[in-house]
Coordinates of all heavy atoms in Angstrom, one line a residue:
M98 N 0.8 -1.2 0.0 CA 0.0 0.0 0.0 C 0.9 1.3 0.0 O 1.8 1.4 0.8 CB -0.9 0.0 1.2 CG -1.7 1.2 1.3 SD -2.6 0.9 2.8 CE -4.0 1.6 2.9
E99 N 0.6 2.2 -0.9 CA 1.5 3.4 -1.1 C 0.9 4.5 -0.2 O -0.3 4.7 -0.2 CB 1.4 3.7 -2.5 CG 2.5 4.8 -2.8 CD 2.5 5.1 -4.3 OE1 2.4 4.2 -5.1 OE2 2.6 6.3 -4.6
M100 N 1.8 5.2 0.5 CA 1.4 6.3 1.4 C 1.6 7.6 0.6 O 2.7 7.8 0.0 CB 2.2 6.3 2.6 CG 2.1 5.1 3.4 SD 0.5 5.0 4.3 CE 0.9 5.7 5.8
Q101 N 0.7 8.5 0.7 CA 0.8 9.8 0.1 C 1.0 10.8 1.2 O 0.4 10.7 2.3 CB -0.5 10.1 -0.8 CG -0.6 9.2 -1.9 CD -1.8 9.7 -2.8 OE1 -2.5 10.6 -2.4 NE2 -2.1 9.0 -3.9
A102 N 1.8 11.8 0.8 CA 2.1 12.9 1.8 C 0.8 13.7 1.9 O 0.1 13.9 1.0 CB 3.2 13.7 1.3
L103 N 0.7 14.3 3.2 CA -0.5 15.2 3.4 C -0.3 16.5 2.6 O 0.8 17.1 2.6 CB -0.6 15.4 4.8 CG -1.1 14.3 5.8 CD1 -1.0 14.7 7.2 CD2 -2.5 13.9 5.4
Q104 N -1.3 16.9 2.0 CA -1.2 18.2 1.3 C -2.1 19.2 2.0 O -3.3 19.1 2.0 CB -1.7 18.0 -0.2 CG -0.7 17.1 -0.9 CD -1.2 17.0 -2.4 OE1 -2.2 17.5 -2.7 NE2 -0.4 16.3 -3.1
M105 N -1.5 20.1 2.7 CA -2.2 21.0 3.5 C -2.3 22.4 2.8 O -1.3 22.8 2.3 CB -1.6 21.2 4.9 CG -1.5 19.8 5.5 SD -1.1 20.0 7.3 CE -2.7 20.3 7.9
T106 N -3.4 23.0 2.7 CA -3.6 24.3 2.2 C -3.7 25.3 3.3 O -4.3 25.0 4.4 CB -4.8 24.4 1.3 OG1 -5.9 24.0 2.1 CG2 -4.7 23.4 0.1
P107 N -3.1 26.5 3.1 CA -3.3 27.5 4.2 C -4.7 27.9 4.3 O -5.5 28.0 3.4 CB -2.4 28.7 3.7 CG -2.0 28.3 2.3 CD -2.3 27.0 2.0
V108 N -5.1 28.2 5.5 CA -6.4 28.6 5.9 C -6.4 30.1 6.0 O -5.5 30.7 6.5 CB -6.8 28.1 7.3 CG1 -8.2 28.5 7.7 CG2 -6.8 26.5 7.3
S109 N -7.4 30.7 5.3 CA -7.5 32.1 5.4 C -8.9 32.5 5.9 O -9.9 31.8 5.6 CB -7.3 32.8 3.9 OG -8.3 32.2 3.1
M110 N -9.0 33.6 6.6 CA -10.3 34.0 7.2 C -10.9 34.9 6.2 O -10.3 35.8 5.7 CB -10.0 34.7 8.5 CG -10.4 33.9 9.7 SD -9.9 34.8 11.2 CE -10.8 36.2 11.3
H111 N -12.2 34.7 6.0 CA -13.0 35.6 5.1 C -14.0 36.4 5.8 O -14.6 37.3 5.3 CB -13.7 34.8 4.0 CG -12.7 34.0 3.1 ND1 -11.9 34.7 2.3 CD2 -12.4 32.8 2.9 CE1 -11.1 33.9 1.6 NE2 -11.4 32.7 2.1
A112 N -14.3 36.0 7.1 CA -15.3 36.8 7.9 C -14.6 37.9 8.7 O -13.4 38.0 8.9 CB -15.9 35.8 8.9
E113 N -15.4 38.9 9.0 CA -14.9 40.0 9.7 C -15.2 39.8 11.2 O -16.2 39.4 11.7 CB -15.5 41.3 9.3 CG -15.0 41.8 8.0 CD -15.2 43.3 7.8 OE1 -15.2 44.0 8.8 OE2 -15.3 43.7 6.6
S114 N -14.2 40.2 12.0 CA -14.2 40.0 13.4 C -14.7 41.4 14.1 O -14.2 42.4 13.6 CB -12.9 39.5 14.0 OG -12.9 39.7 15.4
H115 N -15.5 41.3 15.1 CA -15.8 42.5 15.8 C -14.7 43.0 16.7 O -14.8 44.1 17.2 CB -17.1 42.3 16.7 CG -16.9 41.3 17.8 ND1 -16.8 40.0 17.7 CD2 -16.7 41.7 19.1 CE1 -16.6 39.4 18.8 NE2 -16.5 40.4 19.7
L116 N -13.6 42.2 16.9 CA -12.5 42.6 17.7 C -11.5 43.4 16.9 O -10.5 43.9 17.4 CB -11.9 41.4 18.3 CG -12.8 40.6 19.3 CD1 -12.1 39.4 19.7 CD2 -13.2 41.5 20.4
G117 N -11.6 43.4 15.6 CA -10.8 44.2 14.7 C -9.5 43.4 14.3 O -8.6 43.9 13.6
E118 N -9.5 42.1 14.4 CA -8.4 41.3 13.9 C -8.3 41.2 12.4 O -7.2 41.1 11.9 CB -8.4 39.8 14.5 CG -8.3 39.8 15.9 CD -9.5 39.1 16.5 OE1 -10.4 38.7 15.8 OE2 -9.6 39.0 17.8
T119 N -9.4 41.3 11.7 CA -9.4 41.2 10.3 C -9.4 42.5 9.5 O -9.4 42.6 8.3 CB -10.7 40.4 9.8 OG1 -11.8 41.0 10.3 CG2 -10.6 39.0 10.4
R120 N -9.4 43.6 10.2 CA -9.4 44.9 9.6 C -8.0 45.1 8.9 O -7.0 44.7 9.5 CB -9.6 46.0 10.6 CG -11.0 46.0 11.0 CD -11.3 47.2 11.9 NE -12.6 47.1 12.5 CZ -12.9 47.5 13.7 NH1 -12.1 48.2 14.4 NH2 -14.2 47.4 14.1
P121 N -8.0 45.7 7.8 CA -6.7 45.9 7.1 C -5.8 46.8 8.0 O -6.3 47.8 8.6 CB -7.0 46.6 5.8 CG -8.5 47.0 5.9 CD -9.1 46.3 7.0
K122 N -4.6 46.5 8.1 CA -3.6 47.2 8.9 C -3.3 48.5 8.3 O -3.1 48.6 7.1 CB -2.4 46.4 9.1 CG -2.5 45.0 9.7 CD -2.6 45.2 11.2 CE -2.7 43.8 11.8 NZ -3.1 43.8 13.1
E123 N -3.3 49.6 9.1 CA -2.9 50.9 8.6 C -1.4 51.0 8.6 O -0.8 50.4 9.4 CB -3.4 52.0 9.6 CG -5.0 52.1 9.6 CD -5.4 53.2 10.5 OE1 -4.6 54.0 11.0 OE2 -6.6 53.1 10.9
E124 N -1.0 51.6 7.6 CA 0.6 51.8 7.5 C 1.0 52.7 8.6 O 0.6 53.8 8.8 CB 0.9 52.4 6.1 CG 2.3 52.2 5.9 CD 2.7 52.6 4.4 OE1 1.9 52.3 3.5 OE2 3.7 53.3 4.2
V125 N 2.0 52.2 9.3 CA 2.6 52.9 10.4 C 3.8 53.6 10.0 O 4.6 53.1 9.3 CB 2.9 51.9 11.6 CG1 3.5 52.6 12.8 CG2 1.6 51.1 12.0
K126 N 3.8 54.9 10.4 CA 5.1 55.7 10.0 C 6.2 55.3 10.9 O 6.0 55.0 12.1 CB 4.8 57.2 10.3 CG 3.9 57.8 9.2 CD 3.8 59.3 9.5 CE 2.8 60.0 8.7 NZ 2.8 61.4 9.1
G127 N 7.4 55.3 10.4 CA 8.5 55.0 11.2 C 9.0 56.3 11.8 O 8.6 57.4 11.6
F128 N 10.0 56.1 12.8 CA 10.5 57.2 13.5 C 11.3 58.3 12.5 O 11.1 59.4 12.7 CB 11.6 56.7 14.5 CG 12.3 57.8 15.2 CD1 11.6 58.6 16.2 CD2 13.6 58.2 15.0 CE1 12.2 59.6 16.9 CE2 14.2 59.2 15.6 CZ 13.5 59.9 16.6
G129 N 11.8 57.7 11.5 CA 12.6 58.6 10.6 C 11.6 59.4 9.8 O 11.9 60.6 9.5
E130 N 10.5 58.9 9.5 CA 9.4 59.7 8.7 C 8.9 60.8 9.6 O 8.7 62.0 9.2 CB 8.3 58.8 8.2 CG 8.7 57.9 7.2 CD 7.6 56.9 6.8 OE1 6.5 57.0 7.3 OE2 7.9 55.9 6.0
Y131 N 8.7 60.5 10.9 CA 8.2 61.5 11.8 C 9.3 62.6 12.0 O 9.0 63.8 12.1 CB 7.8 60.9 13.2 CG 6.5 60.3 13.3 CD1 6.4 58.9 13.5 CD2 5.3 61.1 13.2 CE1 5.1 58.3 13.6 CE2 4.1 60.5 13.2 CZ 4.0 59.1 13.4 OH 2.8 58.5 13.5
L132 N 10.5 62.2 12.1 CA 11.6 63.2 12.3 C 11.8 64.0 11.0 O 11.9 65.3 11.2 CB 12.9 62.4 12.6 CG 14.1 63.3 12.9 CD1 13.9 64.0 14.2 CD2 15.3 62.3 13.1
T133 N 11.7 63.5 9.9 CA 11.8 64.2 8.6 C 10.6 65.2 8.5 O 10.7 66.4 8.1 CB 11.7 63.3 7.4 OG1 12.8 62.4 7.5 CG2 11.9 64.1 6.1
E134 N 9.4 64.8 8.9 CA 8.3 65.6 8.8 C 8.4 66.9 9.8 O 8.1 68.0 9.5 CB 7.1 64.9 9.2 CG 5.7 65.6 9.0 CD 4.5 64.7 9.3 OE1 4.4 63.6 8.6 OE2 3.7 65.1 10.1
A135 N 8.9 66.5 11.0 CA 9.1 67.6 12.0 C 10.2 68.6 11.6 O 10.0 69.8 11.7 CB 9.5 67.0 13.3
L136 N 11.3 68.1 11.0 CA 12.3 69.0 10.4 C 11.7 69.9 9.3 O 12.1 71.0 9.2 CB 13.5 68.2 9.9 CG 14.3 67.6 11.0 CD1 15.4 66.7 10.5 CD2 14.9 68.6 12.0
K137 N 10.9 69.3 8.4 CA 10.3 70.1 7.4 C 9.4 71.2 7.9 O 9.4 72.3 7.4 CB 9.5 69.3 6.4 CG 10.4 68.4 5.5 CD 9.6 67.6 4.5 CE 10.5 66.7 3.7 NZ 9.7 65.8 2.7
K138 N 8.6 70.9 8.9 CA 7.8 71.9 9.6 C 8.6 73.0 10.3 O 8.3 74.2 10.1 CB 6.9 71.2 10.7 CG 5.8 70.4 10.0 CD 4.8 69.9 11.1 CE 3.7 69.0 10.5 NZ 2.9 68.4 11.6
T139 N 9.7 72.6 10.9 CA 10.6 73.6 11.5 C 11.1 74.5 10.4 O 11.2 75.7 10.6 CB 11.7 72.9 12.2 OG1 11.1 72.1 13.3 CG2 12.6 73.9 12.9
N140 N 11.6 73.9 9.3 CA 12.1 74.7 8.2 C 11.0 75.6 7.6 O 11.3 76.8 7.3 CB 12.6 73.8 7.1 CG 13.4 74.5 6.0 OD1 14.2 75.5 6.3 ND2 13.1 74.2 4.7
D141 N 9.8 75.2 7.5 CA 8.7 76.0 7.0 C 8.5 77.2 7.9 O 8.2 78.3 7.4 CB 7.5 75.2 6.8 CG 7.5 74.2 5.6 OD1 8.4 74.3 4.8 OD2 6.7 73.2 5.6
L142 N 8.6 77.0 9.2 CA 8.3 78.0 10.1 C 9.5 79.1 10.0 O 9.2 80.3 10.1 CB 8.3 77.5 11.6 CG 6.9 76.7 11.9 CD1 7.0 76.1 13.3 CD2 5.8 77.7 11.9
Q143 N 10.7 78.6 9.8 CA 11.8 79.5 9.7 C 11.6 80.4 8.3 O 11.9 81.6 8.4 CB 13.2 78.7 9.6 CG 13.6 78.1 10.9 CD 14.0 79.1 11.9 OE1 14.6 80.2 11.5 NE2 13.9 78.8 13.1
L144 N 11.3 79.7 7.3 CA 11.0 80.5 6.0 C 9.9 81.4 6.1 O 10.0 82.5 5.6 CB 10.8 79.5 4.9 CG 11.9 78.5 4.5 CD1 11.5 77.5 3.5 CD2 13.1 79.3 4.0
E145 N 8.8 81.1 6.8 CA 7.7 82.0 7.1 C 8.2 83.2 7.9 O 7.8 84.4 7.6 CB 6.5 81.3 7.7 CG 5.4 82.2 8.0 CD 4.7 82.9 6.9 OE1 4.8 82.3 5.7 OE2 4.1 83.9 7.0
S146 N 9.0 83.0 8.8 CA 9.6 84.1 9.7 C 10.4 85.0 8.9 O 10.3 86.2 8.9 CB 10.3 83.5 10.8 OG 10.9 84.5 11.6
D147 N 11.2 84.4 8.0 CA 12.1 85.3 7.1 C 11.2 86.1 6.2 O 11.5 87.3 5.9 CB 13.0 84.4 6.4 CG 14.1 83.8 7.2 OD1 14.3 84.3 8.4 OD2 14.8 82.8 6.7
R148 N 10.2 85.5 5.7 CA 9.2 86.2 4.7 C 8.6 87.3 5.4 O 8.5 88.4 4.9 CB 8.2 85.2 4.2 CG 7.4 85.8 3.1 CD 6.4 84.8 2.5 NE 5.3 84.5 3.5 CZ 4.3 85.4 3.6 NH1 4.1 86.5 2.9 NH2 3.3 85.1 4.5
Q149 N 8.1 87.1 6.7 CA 7.5 88.1 7.4 C 8.5 89.3 7.7 O 8.1 90.5 7.6 CB 6.8 87.5 8.7 CG 5.6 86.7 8.5 CD 4.4 87.4 8.2 OE1 4.3 88.7 8.5 NE2 3.4 86.8 7.6
N150 N 9.7 88.9 8.1 CA 10.7 89.9 8.3 C 11.0 90.8 7.1 O 11.2 92.0 7.2 CB 12.0 89.4 8.9 CG 11.8 88.9 10.3 OD1 11.1 89.5 11.1 ND2 12.5 87.9 10.7
A151 N 11.0 90.1 6.0 CA 11.3 90.9 4.7 C 10.1 91.8 4.4 O 10.3 92.9 4.0 CB 11.5 89.9 3.6
L152 N 8.9 91.4 4.6 CA 7.8 92.2 4.4 C 7.7 93.4 5.4 O 7.4 94.5 5.0 CB 6.4 91.4 4.5 CG 6.1 90.4 3.5 CD1 4.9 89.6 3.9 CD2 5.9 91.1 2.2
L153 N 8.1 93.1 6.6 CA 8.3 94.2 7.6 C 9.3 95.2 7.2 O 9.0 96.5 7.2 CB 8.6 93.7 9.0 CG 8.7 94.7 10.1 CD1 7.5 95.3 10.4 CD2 9.3 94.1 11.4
A154 N 10.4 94.8 6.7 CA 11.5 95.7 6.3 C 11.0 96.5 5.0 O 11.5 97.6 4.9 CB 12.7 94.9 5.9
A155 N 10.2 95.9 4.2 CA 9.7 96.6 3.0 C 8.5 97.6 3.4 O 8.1 98.3 2.5 CB 9.3 95.6 2.0
G156 N 8.0 97.5 4.6 CA 6.9 98.3 5.0 C 5.6 97.9 4.5 O 4.6 98.6 4.4
R157 N 5.4 96.6 4.3 CA 4.2 96.0 3.8 C 3.3 95.3 4.8 O 2.3 94.8 4.6 CB 4.4 95.1 2.7 CG 5.1 95.6 1.5 CD 5.2 94.6 0.3 NE 6.0 95.1 -0.7 CZ 6.6 94.4 -1.6 NH1 6.6 93.1 -1.5 NH2 7.4 94.9 -2.5
V158 N 3.8 95.4 6.1 CA 3.0 94.8 7.2 C 2.4 95.9 8.0 O 3.0 96.7 8.5 CB 4.0 93.9 8.1 CG1 3.3 93.4 9.3 CG2 4.6 92.8 7.3
E159 N 1.1 95.7 8.3 CA 0.3 96.7 8.9 C 0.3 96.3 10.5 O 0.2 97.1 11.4 CB -1.1 96.7 8.5 CG -1.2 97.4 7.1 CD -2.6 97.4 6.6 OE1 -3.5 97.3 7.4 OE2 -2.8 97.6 5.4
D160 N 0.3 94.9 10.7 CA 0.2 94.4 12.1 C 1.5 93.8 12.4 O 1.8 92.7 12.0 CB -1.0 93.5 12.2 CG -1.2 93.0 13.7 OD1 -0.7 93.7 14.6 OD2 -2.0 92.1 13.9
I161 N 2.3 94.4 13.3 CA 3.7 93.9 13.6 C 3.6 92.6 14.5 O 4.5 91.9 14.5 CB 4.5 95.0 14.3 CG1 5.9 94.6 14.3 CG2 4.0 95.3 15.7 CD1 6.9 95.7 14.7
S162 N 2.5 92.4 15.1 CA 2.3 91.2 16.0 C 2.4 89.9 15.2 O 2.9 88.9 15.6 CB 1.0 91.3 16.8 OG -0.1 91.2 15.8
Q163 N 2.0 90.0 13.9 CA 2.1 88.8 13.0 C 3.6 88.4 12.8 O 3.9 87.3 12.8 CB 1.5 89.1 11.7 CG 0.0 89.3 11.6 CD -0.5 89.7 10.3 OE1 0.2 90.0 9.4 NE2 -1.9 89.7 10.1
V164 N 4.4 89.5 12.7 CA 5.8 89.2 12.5 C 6.4 88.6 13.8 O 7.2 87.6 13.8 CB 6.6 90.5 12.1 CG1 8.1 90.3 12.0 CG2 6.0 91.1 10.8
V165 N 6.0 89.2 14.9 CA 6.5 88.7 16.2 C 6.1 87.3 16.4 O 6.9 86.5 16.9 CB 6.1 89.7 17.3 CG1 6.5 89.1 18.7 CG2 6.7 91.0 17.1
V166 N 4.9 87.0 16.2 CA 4.3 85.6 16.4 C 5.1 84.6 15.4 O 5.5 83.5 15.9 CB 2.8 85.6 16.2 CG1 2.3 84.1 16.1 CG2 2.1 86.3 17.2
A167 N 5.3 84.9 14.2 CA 5.9 84.1 13.3 C 7.4 83.8 13.8 O 7.9 82.7 13.7 CB 5.9 84.6 11.9
S168 N 8.0 84.9 14.2 CA 9.4 84.8 14.7 C 9.5 83.9 16.0 O 10.4 83.1 16.1 CB 9.9 86.1 15.0 OG 11.2 86.1 15.5
Q169 N 8.5 84.0 16.9 CA 8.6 83.2 18.0 C 8.2 81.8 17.8 O 8.8 80.8 18.3 CB 7.5 83.8 19.1 CG 8.0 85.1 19.7 CD 9.3 84.9 20.5 OE1 9.5 84.0 21.3 NE2 10.3 85.8 20.2
K170 N 7.3 81.5 16.8 CA 7.0 80.1 16.5 C 8.3 79.5 15.9 O 8.6 78.3 16.3 CB 6.0 80.1 15.4 CG 4.6 80.2 16.0 CD 3.5 80.1 14.8 CE 2.1 80.3 15.3 NZ 1.2 80.1 14.2
A171 N 9.0 80.2 15.0 CA 10.2 79.6 14.4 C 11.3 79.4 15.5 O 12.0 78.4 15.5 CB 10.7 80.6 13.4
D172 N 11.4 80.3 16.4 CA 12.4 80.2 17.5 C 12.1 79.0 18.4 O 12.9 78.2 18.7 CB 12.5 81.5 18.3 CG 13.6 81.4 19.4 OD1 14.7 81.1 19.0 OD2 13.2 81.7 20.6
I173 N 10.9 78.8 18.8 CA 10.4 77.7 19.6 C 10.7 76.4 18.9 O 11.2 75.5 19.5 CB 9.0 77.9 20.1 CG1 8.9 79.0 21.1 CG2 8.5 76.6 20.8 CD1 7.5 79.4 21.5
A174 N 10.4 76.3 17.7 CA 10.6 75.1 16.9 C 12.0 74.7 16.8 O 12.4 73.6 16.8 CB 9.9 75.2 15.5
L175 N 12.8 75.8 16.5 CA 14.3 75.5 16.4 C 14.9 75.1 17.7 O 15.7 74.2 17.8 CB 15.0 76.8 15.9 CG 16.4 76.8 15.7 CD1 16.7 75.7 14.7 CD2 17.1 78.1 15.4
Q176 N 14.4 75.7 18.9 CA 14.9 75.3 20.1 C 14.6 73.9 20.5 O 15.3 73.1 21.0 CB 14.3 76.2 21.3 CG 14.9 77.7 21.2 CD 16.4 77.7 21.4 OE1 17.0 76.9 22.1 NE2 17.1 78.5 20.5
L177 N 13.3 73.5 20.1 CA 12.9 72.1 20.3 C 13.7 71.1 19.5 O 14.2 70.1 19.9 CB 11.4 71.9 19.9 CG 10.8 70.5 20.0 CD1 10.9 70.0 21.4 CD2 9.5 70.4 19.5
T178 N 14.0 71.5 18.3 CA 14.8 70.6 17.4 C 16.2 70.5 17.9 O 16.8 69.4 17.9 CB 14.8 71.3 15.9 OG1 13.6 71.4 15.4 CG2 15.7 70.4 15.0
L179 N 16.8 71.6 18.4 CA 18.2 71.5 19.0 C 18.1 70.6 20.3 O 19.1 69.8 20.5 CB 18.6 72.9 19.3 CG 19.0 73.7 18.1 CD1 19.4 75.1 18.5 CD2 20.2 73.1 17.4
Q180 N 17.1 70.7 21.1 CA 17.0 69.9 22.3 C 16.9 68.4 22.0 O 17.5 67.6 22.6 CB 15.9 70.4 23.2 CG 16.2 71.7 23.9 CD 17.4 71.7 24.7 OE1 17.7 70.7 25.4 NE2 18.2 72.8 24.7
L181 N 16.2 68.1 20.9 CA 16.0 66.8 20.5 C 17.3 66.2 20.0 O 17.7 65.1 20.3 CB 14.9 66.6 19.4 CG 13.4 66.7 19.9 CD1 12.5 66.8 18.7 CD2 13.1 65.6 20.8
R182 N 18.1 67.0 19.2 CA 19.3 66.6 18.7 C 20.3 66.4 19.9 O 21.0 65.4 19.9 CB 19.9 67.7 17.8 CG 21.2 67.2 17.2 CD 22.1 68.4 16.8 NE 22.4 69.2 18.0 CZ 23.2 70.2 18.0 NH1 23.8 70.6 16.9 NH2 23.4 71.0 19.1
N183 N 20.3 67.3 20.9 CA 21.2 67.2 22.0 C 20.9 65.8 22.8 O 21.7 65.1 23.2 CB 21.1 68.4 22.9 CG 21.6 69.6 22.3 OD1 22.4 69.5 21.3 ND2 21.3 70.8 22.8
R184 N 19.6 65.6 23.0 CA 19.2 64.4 23.7 C 19.6 63.1 22.9 O 20.1 62.1 23.5 CB 17.7 64.3 23.9 CG 17.2 65.4 25.0 CD 17.7 65.0 26.3 NE 17.3 66.1 27.3 CZ 16.6 65.9 28.3 NH1 16.1 64.7 28.6 NH2 16.4 66.9 29.1
A185 N 19.3 63.1 21.6 CA 19.8 62.0 20.8 C 21.3 61.7 20.8 O 21.7 60.6 21.0 CB 19.3 62.1 19.4
L186 N 22.0 62.8 20.8 CA 23.5 62.7 20.8 C 23.9 62.2 22.2 O 24.9 61.3 22.3 CB 24.1 64.1 20.6 CG 25.0 64.1 19.3 CD1 24.7 65.4 18.6 CD2 26.3 64.0 19.6
S187 N 23.3 62.7 23.2 CA 23.7 62.2 24.6 C 23.3 60.8 24.8 O 24.1 60.0 25.4 CB 22.8 63.0 25.6 OG 23.0 62.6 26.9
A188 N 22.2 60.3 24.3 CA 21.8 58.9 24.3 C 22.8 58.0 23.6 O 23.2 56.9 24.0 CB 20.4 58.7 23.8
Y189 N 23.2 58.5 22.4 CA 24.2 57.8 21.6 C 25.5 57.6 22.4 O 26.1 56.6 22.3 CB 24.4 58.4 20.2 CG 25.5 57.8 19.4 CD1 25.3 56.6 18.7 CD2 26.7 58.5 19.3 CE1 26.2 56.1 17.9 CE2 27.7 57.9 18.5 CZ 27.5 56.7 17.9 OH 28.5 56.2 17.1
Q190 N 26.0 58.7 22.9 CA 27.3 58.7 23.6 C 27.2 57.8 24.8 O 28.1 57.1 25.1 CB 27.6 60.1 24.1 CG 28.1 61.0 22.8 CD 28.3 62.4 23.3 OE1 27.8 62.9 24.3 NE2 28.8 63.2 22.3
E191 N 26.0 57.8 25.5 CA 25.9 56.9 26.6 C 25.9 55.4 26.2 O 26.5 54.6 26.9 CB 24.5 57.2 27.3 CG 24.3 56.4 28.6 CD 25.2 56.9 29.7 OE1 25.7 58.1 29.7 OE2 25.6 56.0 30.5
I192 N 25.3 55.1 25.1 CA 25.3 53.8 24.6 C 26.8 53.4 24.2 O 27.1 52.2 24.5 CB 24.3 53.6 23.4 CG1 22.9 53.6 23.8 CG2 24.6 52.3 22.6 CD1 21.9 53.8 22.7
M193 N 27.4 54.3 23.6 CA 28.9 54.0 23.2 C 29.8 53.8 24.4 O 30.8 53.0 24.4 CB 29.4 55.1 22.4 CG 28.9 55.1 21.0 SD 29.3 53.6 20.0 CE 27.8 53.0 19.6
R194 N 29.4 54.3 25.5 CA 30.3 54.2 26.8 C 29.9 52.8 27.5 O 30.7 52.5 28.3 CB 29.9 55.3 27.7 CG 30.7 56.5 27.4 CD 30.6 57.6 28.6 NE 30.4 58.8 27.9 CZ 29.3 59.6 28.1 NH1 28.3 59.2 28.9 NH2 29.1 60.7 27.5
M195 N 28.8 52.2 27.1 CA 28.5 50.9 27.8 C 29.5 49.9 27.5 O 30.0 49.7 26.3 CB 27.1 50.5 27.3 CG 26.0 51.2 27.8 SD 24.4 50.4 27.3 CE 23.2 51.4 28.0
Q196 N 29.8 49.1 28.5 CA 30.8 48.0 28.4 C 29.9 46.7 28.2 O 29.0 46.4 28.8 CB 31.6 47.8 29.6 CG 32.5 49.0 29.8 CD 33.4 48.8 31.0 OE1 33.3 47.8 31.7 NE2 34.3 49.7 31.2
V197 N 30.4 46.0 27.3 CA 29.6 44.7 26.8 C 30.3 43.5 27.5 O 31.3 43.4 27.8 CB 29.6 44.5 25.3 CG1 28.8 43.3 25.0 CG2 29.1 45.7 24.6

């Protein structure tokens, strides 16, 4: 009597679960993408601040508070970016000091 190998086919679910197991997975952004996006926003705030300052110098701004707000937004974003960089560098240096 000849024995045949079992032929198994993968099982797939076609029903939807109320627990959310069968919902399509949303694409998750990586850390690098978040960092790139944050740096672009910081750059945009800097460029807007420069544009507002140029308009102020040309005398085309009626409300100086817009210029001040744009400048402060850019400054805060830059300070946050620098602090994140400093923390990342500090963490890297700490990891490099670890003895294995």
Side-chain angles (χ1 to χ4, degrees):
M98 178 182 205
E99 190 175 321
M100 299 288 267
Q101 293 184 358
L103 289 174
Q104 296 179 355
M105 304 192 84
T106 57
V108 177
S109 61
M110 255 171 64
H111 297 292
E113 286 207 25
S114 169
H115 68 284
L116 299 174
E118 296 120 359
T119 57
R120 292 187 185 146
K122 300 281 184 191
E123 293 179 14
E124 191 170 322
V125 179
K126 287 185 187 179
F128 177 73
E130 292 174 9
Y131 279 115
L132 187 61
T133 302
E134 187 177 308
L136 289 173
K137 284 181 183 178
K138 286 182 183 177
T139 301
N140 188 43
D141 290 343
L142 288 171
Q143 289 288 332
L144 293 174
E145 176 62 21
S146 175
D147 289 344
R148 189 180 72 79
Q149 289 286 337
N150 284 331
L152 289 175
L153 179 66
R157 296 185 190 158
V158 175
E159 293 179 16
D160 189 10
I161 196 166
S162 66
Q163 294 173 348
V164 179
V165 173
V166 168
S168 176
Q169 288 300 310
K170 280 183 180 181
D172 185 50
I173 291 171
L175 183 62
Q176 292 300 321
L177 176 64
T178 303
L179 288 174
Q180 289 301 319
L181 286 173
R182 184 206 59 175
N183 292 342
R184 292 290 174 122
L186 245 138
S187 175
Y189 174 78
Q190 290 171 346
E191 187 68 28
I192 289 171
M193 287 295 123
R194 279 190 224 119
M195 285 183 178
Q196 294 181 359
V197 184

